[in-house]
Amino acid sequence: MNRRDVLAALAVVGAVPTKAFAQGGDLKSAARDAWLYGLPLIEMASTRARAVAGRAVGIPAGVNRFGHARVLADPTARGVTTPNNDTLYSSAWIDLTKGPVTLTLPRTGDRYISVAGMNMFTDNDFVLGTRTTGGAGGKFMIVGPGQPGSGPNVVRLATPHGWLLSRILVDGESDLPAVHALQAQLAITGPTVTPGTAVYAGRGAPALEYFASVAALLRENPPPGTDAAFFARVAALGLTGAGGFDPKRFSAAQVAEIEAGVAEARQSLRTIRVGGAVQGWNYPRSNLGFYGQDYALRAAVALGGLAALPGAEAMYMNPVGDQGRMFTGAGPYVMRFAADRMPPVDAFWSLTMYEATPEGQFFLTENPIRRYAIGDRTPTLKKNADGSLDLWIARTDPGGDRTGNWLPAPAQGPFTVSFRAYLPRPELMDGRYRLPPITAA
């Protein structure tokens, strides 16, 4: 979710400085660390609230049922940061407090599909679909913590609440009816659950309100036992894994100290660095999509790329631009693939253009040809005589044969791109293959 300059360095995938979480036990340090720890819970709750209230396009006004995006994402899609323009999303917020639910997947054959099951801490507890379960579809029981479940098609969610996000590949506007038919076969059955009415603070809320909401979300979604050391480290704040937090016990001076820690946490998001850049690209860390105790990276992704898939499913590469991740020039810029160095994937690849918001979120940008991404399925793509491929990035049409390979940039302001590789092959995952850099032409 796009906070650009906050994001010049916030690449969705990256190495986190070892000092991102200090060992100090003072109130300011505890507030800083706890704010970052709680951010994924807050972002998930905020996204869920928009969905359940029917304020997000393609999201149902309820729980335990799917809502579907019927058109590919465009600049009006502002519900989730860094949306893709390759797939149609289907989304369901699930509540397992009354028991397991059954998920039905359609038969998709060779068409790419994934259904990611994310717990409220944003870990992908499972991904069903092409890579893991094949294209034959089927029924799968989703079981919550402490609930019994057995059989060949049982998958578990680590929290009682979570998010199912499906992506189905679309080959252009003419392919939409076929994908709509597949979406109609996605289904959830199980106990009827009435959406909760609790209201949670957003990331911009005053510190005590924010932490009170984090505590409430922890009570609903207990953290793993492996987070015990973290809660010991923030004991000065009084936030516990069981959801304990008393905002009334702090003096005015202590509240000021807590607010200073939160301000430091917000600032630290600007300095969470990606793993070493190679040939002009930052590559995802192996724990993207399932973070363990990497709370700083988890917070950064919740803000800048909520719902990122794990690397085996998709790799997201962010560029080294003119200013951190951002580009500021008019272009043209070019990304040139040698004939024998096309991206090694078993599904598809794309390069998507984003404009940045002041908060550091990224969204698709308006352009005269309504092209928001370019990739291996773009019908106008044309290779050079020697088999190489040039992708052109510019604010205005580069003209001639370049137009078919043009990814339009915003008319003004900083911008960035994201390279997506779905079902990456081993040579991309282990670093034997590297993307060519984006350079000024």
Side-chain angles (χ1 to χ4, degrees):
M1 316 215 160
N2 321 339
R3 336 27 193 184
R4 276 19 283 100
D5 292 340
V6 115
L7 283 189
L10 183 179
V12 153
V13 295
V16 179
T18 57
K19 294 184 180 179
F21 276 78
Q23 297 300 314
D26 61 284
L27 190 55
K28 179 181 175 182
S29 296
R32 179 195 61 228
D33 292 358
W35 190 90
L36 291 171
Y37 180 93
L39 185 61
L41 288 166
I42 292 294
E43 290 301 301
M44 289 284 279
S46 297
T47 304
R48 180 179 60 186
R50 290 193 297 271
V52 171
R55 299 196 305 271
V57 176
I59 306 296
V63 295
N64 289 353
R65 57 193 176 99
F66 276 105
H68 309 290
R70 298 300 192 182
V71 297
L72 290 168
D74 64 19
T76 66
R78 302 270 160 156
V80 178
T81 185
T82 58
N84 79 60
N85 188 246
D86 305 303
T87 68
L88 283 191
Y89 290 105
S90 295
S91 175
W93 289 89
I94 58 175
D95 183 332
L96 303 176
T97 56
K98 292 188 177 181
V101 299
T102 298
L103 167 67
T104 300
L105 266 62
R107 181 182 296 273
T108 55
D110 293 334
R111 183 191 296 270
Y112 175 83
I113 182 175
S114 64
V115 180
M118 290 166 283
N119 64 45
M120 290 298 286
F121 293 91
T122 69
D123 290 316
N124 288 267
D125 285 336
F126 56 85
V127 181
L128 307 175
T130 302
R131 177 179 64 89
T132 57
T133 59
K139 293 182 181 293
F140 302 84
M141 179 183 290
I142 303 174
V143 178
Q147 296 174 349
S150 61
N153 289 343
V154 170
V155 292
R156 292 187 173 274
L157 199 69
T159 54
H161 303 270
W163 188 13
L164 296 182
L165 189 60
S166 170
R167 299 165 171 91
I168 304 177
L169 178 63
V170 181
D171 277 327
E173 297 290 329
S174 63
D175 195 33
L176 286 173
V179 178
H180 293 166
L182 294 173
Q183 288 179 312
Q185 299 173 58
L186 277 170
I188 297 172
T189 57
T192 300
V193 177
T194 302
T197 59
V199 177
Y200 302 99
R203 62 177 175 269
L208 297 187
E209 293 179 22
Y210 177 94
F211 289 124
S213 287
V214 170
L217 288 163
L218 287 170
R219 290 193 292 273
E220 294 179 3
N221 302 278
T226 48
D227 285 354
F230 165 79
F231 287 104
R233 189 164 67 245
V234 300
L237 185 65
L239 181 70
T240 71
F245 180 71
D246 181 9
K248 297 179 180 179
R249 74 181 182 89
F250 301 107
S251 67
Q254 288 174 318
V255 171
E257 191 174 353
I258 291 170
E259 290 285 4
V262 168
E264 192 172 290
R266 295 180 191 277
Q267 181 65 27
S268 75
L269 286 176
R270 301 172 180 264
T271 60
I272 296 175
R273 300 185 181 280
V274 302
V278 180
Q279 295 184 20
W281 289 90
N282 294 297
Y283 288 82
R285 297 185 64 191
S286 61
N287 60 337
L288 180 68
F290 200 94
Y291 305 96
Q293 280 64 58
D294 197 342
Y295 310 123
L297 176 61
R298 188 177 71 180
V301 176
L303 180 63
L306 186 66
L309 288 165
E313 195 70 32
M315 288 181 65
Y316 310 89
M317 278 68 74
N318 301 316
V320 176
D322 306 327
Q323 293 183 5
R325 180 178 174 176
M326 310 306 295
F327 293 90
T328 58
Y333 300 89
V334 65
M335 186 177 182
R336 179 164 294 142
F337 296 89
D340 62 348
R341 298 292 290 171
M342 297 299 167
V345 296
D346 287 326
F348 61 94
W349 62 265
S350 66
L351 184 71
T352 306
M353 175 63 63
Y354 296 106
E355 62 183 42
T357 70
E359 282 190 304
Q361 292 186 309
F362 300 108
F363 298 108
L364 303 177
T365 187
E366 295 285 0
N367 67 81
I369 62 173
R370 299 182 63 202
R371 179 180 292 164
Y372 311 115
I374 196 166
D376 56 0
R377 296 162 296 108
T378 302
T380 61
L381 213 59
K382 183 178 180 180
K383 291 184 178 180
N384 301 316
D386 63 358
S388 62
L389 176 66
D390 294 336
L391 301 182
W392 295 94
I393 300 168
R395 298 187 192 276
T396 58
D397 188 346
D401 291 341
R402 298 177 175 181
T403 300
N405 293 14
W406 174 39
L407 180 60
Q412 60 185 7
F415 62 89
T416 191
V417 295
S418 182
F419 192 97
R420 288 177 169 85
Y422 280 79
L423 303 189
R425 293 176 184 165
E427 58 267 36
L428 179 53
M429 295 185 69
D430 65 22
R432 285 174 289 157
Y433 175 90
R434 296 297 187 182
L435 294 172
I438 295 174
T439 59

